[in-house]
Amino acid sequence: MDHKEAYDLIESYAFGTLEAELYPAIQNHLDSGCDECISRLREASELSLRLAQSIPMVDPPARIETRIMDKIRNDRQRIKSPGPLKIQLPYWAAAAAAVLIVALGSGYVALSFQNIKLERRLVETSDVTALLNSPGMQFVDLQGVDPNPQAFGKVVIDPDKGAAVVYMYKLPQTPEGMEYQLWVMHEGKPTSAGVFTVTADGNAMLALNELDDMGDIGSFLVTIEPAGGQTSPTGMMYLTGPNVFHSDN
Amino acid sequence: MEEKNLEKPGSDDSKEMGVDDILLSLIGDGDPAALSRFYKNKSRFIYSLVLNIVRNDTDAEEITEDVFLKIWQNARSFDRSRGVAMAWVATIARRLAIDRTRSKYYKDRGREVDIESHNADNSENVMVGDNADTTTAGIEAREIKEALDQIGDTHRELIRLSYFEGYSHSMIAEKLKTPLGTVKTRIREAVVQLRGILDVKV
Ligand SMILES: [Zn+2]
């Protein structure tokens, strides 16, 4: 489908009234990155959403949720992170009060992690609802590094509150005497955000609070280190995350 | 790196990530708890949207289920540069609901296609407005009615057919005996005008 054809059908696409057989062609055209059509799609779908605010609200029967959750529970292909994460954070309680100084150009900038508070508890996604409901929320993906490309993670960050939740999945078990260590990178300099081990499934979740200067954080890194952690990374890298708060360099 | 998940410096759609974006991303990673949370936040809206189109509890239930299963399967393909998460979800819901009203199954059950007759009261609610209705939907409905009053009969009729009745462009062209090209142009004009009047910023 050429641009002209697609462009004329964008409202129908956004309103959901397109003839069914035409959806893939429009989808392909949008996926080709046509700015004009994408911008028209935004306009039409936002109007559609606005018009939908006028419909009367009706509560759905509770059984719908049960049916949906039953179906996806059987969707083994898609579920990468089974169930609630059971978190073991044996060293985190002791990790508070680390004041870390990062050399930066001519001077020193304190990257304030002095009050990292980590809670040892069962964590589900719903536990971080407050964080998720924060308006300034941002997040980044963490990617597995060879030879463990299956590992991945996600950091949900609220820069205003200085809080973050770090989800990590599919990490290998740590050998005796070793632990993972999370690092926050700033201008290429790592600052420890603590050590952790993973569940039997290879998952971990860290809640970070009272992180000041969140806006200066560049990216995240997970390495394996001798138990108790190091002052700078020495071991193999397992996860890396991109620059979250884009700096222009 | 998945570029689409990053704030892009200098992009003009630099809206911050919202809860919906994050939940969709977690759903895209296959997190059932995130889907459950998303369902709790959005099911009332989705169910109501769908029910409003199909006008039947059983169909609305089935389609609502399908909408969330589609979200589960396709959350990774959500691209926030193309609009907010809820606009994406609403499009999925409307599409599934409208497809149902056009289906053979629907016609066989005799509930069909006369979309106009079974939805007429619906758009009338919006078109006429109910001044006593102080719910959010009621207030929105009045605002939208006022906006529709400002765009002129031709454009209003096209929004009614293409949005509230769920007609495709060619169905409208046929119904109004108007060239397809004219229908397309005028719907576009109506959308631009309505957006302007409603000051749409979702
Ligand atoms: Zn195009």
Side-chain angles (χ1 to χ4, degrees):
Chain A
M1 182 177 287
D2 65 17
H3 166 69
K4 174 78 178 72
E5 248 180 300
Y7 190 68
D8 280 345
L9 293 172
I10 294 294
E11 276 88 19
S12 298
Y13 179 90
F15 289 177
T17 61
L18 204 61
E19 281 84 0
E21 65 274 15
L22 292 174
Y23 280 100
I26 303 272
Q27 193 66 57
N28 284 341
H29 181 70
L30 291 168
D31 289 346
S32 77
C34 176
D35 286 341
E36 228 180 316
C37 286
I38 287 171
S39 138
R40 188 167 179 173
L41 173 63
R42 285 184 71 111
E43 291 177 13
S45 62
E46 287 172 5
L47 178 67
S48 172
L49 187 56
R50 176 67 194 274
L51 294 175
Q53 314 289 314
S54 67
I55 62 171
M57 289 292 135
V58 182
D59 283 325
R63 60 181 170 267
I64 302 180
E65 181 178 12
T66 313
R67 281 208 305 264
I68 292 167
M69 297 315 289
D70 282 351
K71 279 195 182 158
I72 68 148
R73 252 185 276 284
N74 297 325
D75 187 1
R76 287 289 158 215
Q77 271 197 317
R78 286 275 290 110
I79 298 183
K80 291 182 186 169
S81 49
L85 302 174
K86 297 186 180 70
I87 308 307
Q88 301 292 319
L89 296 172
Y91 289 90
W92 274 93
V99 179
L100 297 146
I101 307 296
V102 179
L104 236 195
S106 57
Y108 284 92
V109 173
L111 193 61
S112 316
F113 278 91
Q114 55 263 57
N115 281 307
I116 296 172
K117 286 179 189 161
L118 299 152
E119 294 165 57
R120 181 175 181 160
R121 59 181 174 131
L122 271 178
V123 186
E124 289 185 67
T125 301
S126 55
D127 286 338
V128 292
T129 303
L131 187 62
L132 292 177
N133 282 319
S134 164
M137 185 63 44
Q138 304 197 29
F139 71 111
V140 292
D141 287 323
L142 305 180
Q143 316 244 328
V145 177
D146 276 339
N148 296 290
Q150 82 290 344
F152 67 100
K154 192 153 302 271
V155 189
V156 183
I157 303 159
D158 180 353
D160 300 332
K161 295 203 185 79
V165 176
V166 187
Y167 297 85
M168 289 161 287
Y169 306 95
K170 304 279 180 197
L171 286 164
Q173 297 299 314
T174 46
E176 189 68 29
M178 303 292 277
E179 285 174 322
Y180 289 113
Q181 191 162 9
L182 175 67
W183 306 91
V184 179
M185 303 296 290
H186 178 258
E187 301 279 320
K189 306 274 196 311
T191 297
S192 176
V195 293
F196 62 96
T197 55
V198 295
T199 64
D201 298 319
N203 301 336
M205 187 267 208
L206 310 179
L208 311 181
N209 292 312
E210 299 187 26
L211 303 178
D212 296 341
D213 297 337
M214 292 291 291
D216 290 334
I217 292 174
S219 59
F220 297 84
L221 180 67
V222 171
T223 59
I224 194 162
E225 305 291 349
Q230 301 286 298
T231 52
S232 63
T234 61
M236 204 166 85
M237 197 185 297
Y238 280 78
L239 288 170
T240 59
N243 290 339
V244 46
F245 303 101
H246 44 80
S247 55
D248 290 331
N249 38 25
Chain B
M1 298 297 155
E2 287 177 63
E3 278 291 321
K4 67 172 187 173
N5 284 338
L6 302 179
E7 294 293 331
K8 290 181 189 130
S11 89
D12 53 10
D13 46 296
S14 54
K15 280 182 187 166
E16 286 180 330
M17 308 294 298
V19 179
D20 296 341
D21 298 310
I22 291 157
L23 289 176
L24 281 180
S25 172
L26 293 169
I27 292 166
D29 285 345
D31 184 343
L35 186 72
S36 175
R37 166 58 47 193
F38 197 71
Y39 181 88
K40 285 179 174 67
N41 293 351
K42 304 300 179 191
S43 56
R44 191 161 185 262
F45 174 73
I46 296 299
Y47 179 75
S48 304
L49 184 64
V50 168
L51 180 64
N52 200 252
I53 294 166
V54 300
R55 299 269 145 179
N56 170 280
D57 295 347
T58 312
D59 289 335
E61 265 188 54
E62 281 177 26
I63 293 165
T64 301
E65 188 179 326
D66 289 347
V67 170
F68 282 93
L69 293 174
K70 266 215 182 315
I71 292 168
W72 172 252
Q73 292 297 338
N74 298 329
R76 267 185 183 280
S77 70
F78 166 65
D79 179 351
R80 52 194 287 277
S81 72
R82 298 181 191 175
V84 298
M86 273 320 286
W88 182 71
V89 172
T91 296
I92 294 174
R94 280 186 58 92
R95 176 183 165 183
L96 291 178
I98 288 165
D99 282 353
R100 177 68 66 100
T101 66
R102 292 177 186 167
S103 67
K104 179 172 183 308
Y105 151 89
Y106 215 75
K107 293 173 192 170
D108 288 349
R109 286 178 59 172
R111 257 187 289 110
E112 105 136 272
V113 138
D114 196 11
I115 313 172
E116 191 166 7
S117 71
H118 79 248
N119 270 356
D121 52 336
N122 167 31
S123 66
E124 282 305 300
N125 278 344
V126 171
M127 296 292 189
V128 176
D130 176 356
N131 289 323
D133 188 348
T134 55
T135 62
T136 307
I139 293 163
E140 278 290 340
R142 271 201 302 282
E143 270 186 41
I144 288 165
K145 176 199 176 299
E146 283 164 19
L148 288 166
D149 283 346
Q150 291 178 52
I151 63 171
D153 293 348
T154 309
H155 288 126
R156 181 166 58 247
E157 177 67 358
L158 286 167
I159 289 291
R160 189 180 74 81
L161 292 171
S162 69
Y163 185 80
F164 292 102
E165 313 298 356
Y167 279 62
S168 70
H169 285 173
S170 42
M171 290 161 76
I172 294 171
E174 202 176 315
K175 182 179 168 59
L176 299 182
K177 302 190 171 37
T178 303
L180 189 58
T182 309
V183 168
K184 290 170 176 174
T185 309
R186 287 186 181 153
I187 289 177
R188 171 67 181 158
E189 289 164 1
V191 166
V192 170
Q193 285 183 37
L194 266 185
R195 275 180 57 89
I197 296 165
L198 290 168
D199 191 23
V200 174
K201 283 191 217 87
V202 182

